[in-house]
Amino acid sequence: HTRTGDTLTSFNAGGSSDATLRSIVPPPAVISASVIPHSQADVQPVQEALAALSRTDPSVRVTEDAEEGQTLVHGLGALHLEIVEGRLKDEWGVKVQFGKRRVSYRENFGYEGEEGVETRSRWEKDMGGKRVGATVEMKVSALVRDALKEDSSKQAVDSWGGSLVSIAEKPEEELEPFPSPESTSFNHTLYPATSPVTAVLQGVLSALSSSPHTTLPLSHLNIAITSFELDQGSPPSTLTAAASDALRQALFKSGPGQVMEPYINVKIDVGEEGLGKVVRDLTENGGEILDLAEGSSTGSTTGGEEEEVGPYSSEGIYLPPKWVTPASASLEAKSGGASFKRSVRAVAPLAKMLDYSSRLRAVSGGQATFEMSIEGFRPVGDVRRLEILKEMGRA
């Protein structure tokens, strides 16, 4: 049951067997797709293949949408999901296809005051003729990520998809940030599934998965669990229910938060002749231009300085007569001068960039290349919020 990120040690080797390498904390998923088995007989093999694949690739997350009755796979981009789909078919040989790609949106905490919202949940229930119960107290506020100083806190935030969860295991102890119990950095040896701490964290994880206002996953919350108590003879699952209820109380008190949309960094290398079309396409699709760096013609460097190189010679190259093909005229024109490249850097909403490869090919005549990386989540305006909720069927 090992997975990518685990540390394997040999008990026969000398030295300590407690050495642990730094865990892999993947970025939060920004896109998802439904998993569609070809037939009912393929459902179980597909589920087993997804479980095996998620152990080798920690950035893949699999969830169940109870409302729509679908299995969803979450990844870091459209290309990532294409790779996941290909691996399922090639490595595990399952008969499956992915549905339409959907961007993963988030909701942040609705109350912006520094003091936050304090809640207390007392959960009681009759179980097997016995009264069981648990109590959880917490304080919830908006997370200011720039204020995080310790690497352990930043790593814990990444494991929760952008939120910070801290626990004081005893009333007199200070709050300590904890990673998500689903992450590879969580210490399951010290905190097994039956541990009260794990039970509390599972309750927080459950509440964060769906906002009571929009059903979107929640992000950018600072959750401080100041105390928790499990009644004698009560199962740890009682603490899970109490923690989930306490967080939901805080979410109801704070009101709806801002809808957040994933943005990406884009770098495009394009010739001068296609620069205007590329910039216009980005701005029309919600992109923000950060930099228009000046490029140069193809060249080499000598002694650290760039040496300009003229255009390729047309000697020895056959150009058909103009009456044969119009392309000969353009080739002849291009051979008369060097082609200068410009580098465009921008940030843009991921939802508008899913088909960017084909769009860029069209506006640049196939003469441009691009790179993308995840920039993070940003709050959206009222108009875009309404568009997103309508897309989800929530407005």
Side-chain angles (χ1 to χ4, degrees):
H1 296 287
T2 57
R3 59 184 296 165
T4 300
D6 290 348
T7 301
L8 304 182
T9 59
S10 173
F11 287 100
N12 296 326
S16 173
S17 61
D18 296 331
T20 303
L21 301 178
R22 185 172 183 176
S23 299
I24 297 174
V25 181
V30 296
I31 193 170
S32 64
S34 58
V35 180
I36 308 172
H38 285 190
S39 66
Q40 187 63 31
D42 298 318
V43 173
Q44 187 63 28
V46 168
Q47 295 287 354
E48 294 174 355
L50 285 171
L53 190 146
S54 62
R55 287 197 298 271
T56 65
D57 185 352
S59 59
V60 174
R61 190 165 58 89
V62 181
T63 61
E64 297 292 334
D65 189 335
E67 186 173 334
E68 298 184 7
Q70 291 182 328
T71 299
L72 300 178
V73 59
H74 307 260
L76 303 180
L79 178 59
H80 188 205
L81 291 186
E82 289 179 15
I83 294 173
V84 170
E85 184 177 5
R87 290 188 63 189
L88 289 174
K89 295 176 180 177
D90 299 338
E91 298 182 26
W92 281 272
V94 294
K95 298 178 181 179
V96 66
Q97 67 182 40
F98 283 5
K100 182 180 178 181
R101 273 58 170 167
R102 297 187 296 182
V103 172
S104 298
Y105 302 102
R106 299 285 191 275
E107 181 185 331
N108 64 10
F109 195 55
Y111 187 80
E112 298 181 357
E114 294 183 0
E115 64 274 13
V117 175
E118 296 184 3
T119 60
R120 180 181 185 275
S121 174
R122 171 63 186 172
W123 186 268
E124 292 182 332
K125 185 178 180 181
D126 289 325
M127 184 178 297
K130 182 182 177 181
R131 194 71 171 172
V132 297
T135 304
V136 174
E137 296 181 7
M138 66 174 62
K139 178 182 177 181
V140 185
S141 58
L143 177 65
V144 181
R145 181 152 187 157
D146 294 340
L148 298 177
K149 297 180 180 179
E150 298 182 6
D151 290 340
S152 59
S153 297
K154 295 178 181 178
Q155 188 174 5
V157 168
D158 291 336
S159 72
W160 287 98
S163 294
L164 177 64
V165 180
S166 306
I167 296 182
E169 295 190 52
K170 295 180 180 179
E172 64 275 8
E173 293 184 355
E174 293 185 358
L175 291 166
E176 177 185 355
F178 272 78
S180 166
E182 289 189 348
S183 70
T184 56
S185 56
F186 188 78
N187 192 335
H188 290 281
T189 303
L190 187 60
Y191 301 101
T194 55
S195 165
V197 170
T198 305
V200 170
L201 293 176
Q202 287 289 357
V204 172
L205 186 66
S206 174
L208 286 175
S209 64
S210 178
S211 163
H213 309 292
T214 62
T215 72
L216 290 171
L218 291 145
S219 183
H220 291 65
L221 275 70
N222 186 358
I223 304 169
I225 301 167
T226 53
S227 70
F228 59 92
E229 183 180 357
L230 182 65
D231 292 359
Q232 187 173 3
S234 299
S237 59
T238 314
L239 269 176
T240 301
S244 180
D245 180 65
L247 181 51
R248 287 190 175 276
Q249 286 183 28
L251 295 172
F252 276 115
K253 287 182 180 179
S254 68
Q258 292 176 299
V259 173
M260 305 181 74
E261 182 173 19
Y263 273 68
I264 55 172
N265 294 307
V266 190
K267 178 179 178 290
I268 306 110
D269 292 318
V270 62
E272 286 276 2
E273 64 279 0
L275 179 63
K277 293 180 180 179
V278 168
V279 171
R280 183 168 62 250
D281 176 76
L282 284 170
T283 54
E284 288 177 351
N285 287 277
E288 176 187 343
I289 306 300
L290 301 179
D291 184 37
L292 291 174
E294 293 186 2
S296 63
S297 59
T298 305
S300 59
T301 56
T302 304
E305 296 181 0
E306 188 169 345
E307 178 184 342
E308 291 190 1
V309 178
Y312 289 107
S313 172
S314 60
E315 184 180 353
I317 300 177
Y318 170 71
L319 295 177
K322 296 179 182 180
W323 60 268
V324 174
T325 170
S328 63
S330 62
L331 287 172
E332 188 174 342
K334 288 182 180 179
S335 66
S339 176
F340 286 82
K341 287 281 189 179
R342 295 291 293 271
S343 181
V344 182
R345 296 181 183 273
V347 291
L350 176 62
K352 302 291 186 179
M353 303 294 284
L354 297 181
D355 61 343
Y356 191 62
S357 179
S358 57
R359 286 212 325 262
L360 181 62
R361 191 181 305 115
V363 299
S364 69
Q367 300 301 311
T369 59
F370 73 98
E371 301 173 7
M372 289 185 180
S373 62
I374 297 174
E375 197 270 339
F377 286 84
R378 292 187 177 188
V380 302
D382 293 337
V383 176
R384 180 60 181 148
R385 173 190 173 91
L386 187 59
E387 290 177 357
I388 293 172
L389 295 181
K390 283 183 176 179
E391 178 184 332
M392 299 171 51
R394 301 292 175 187

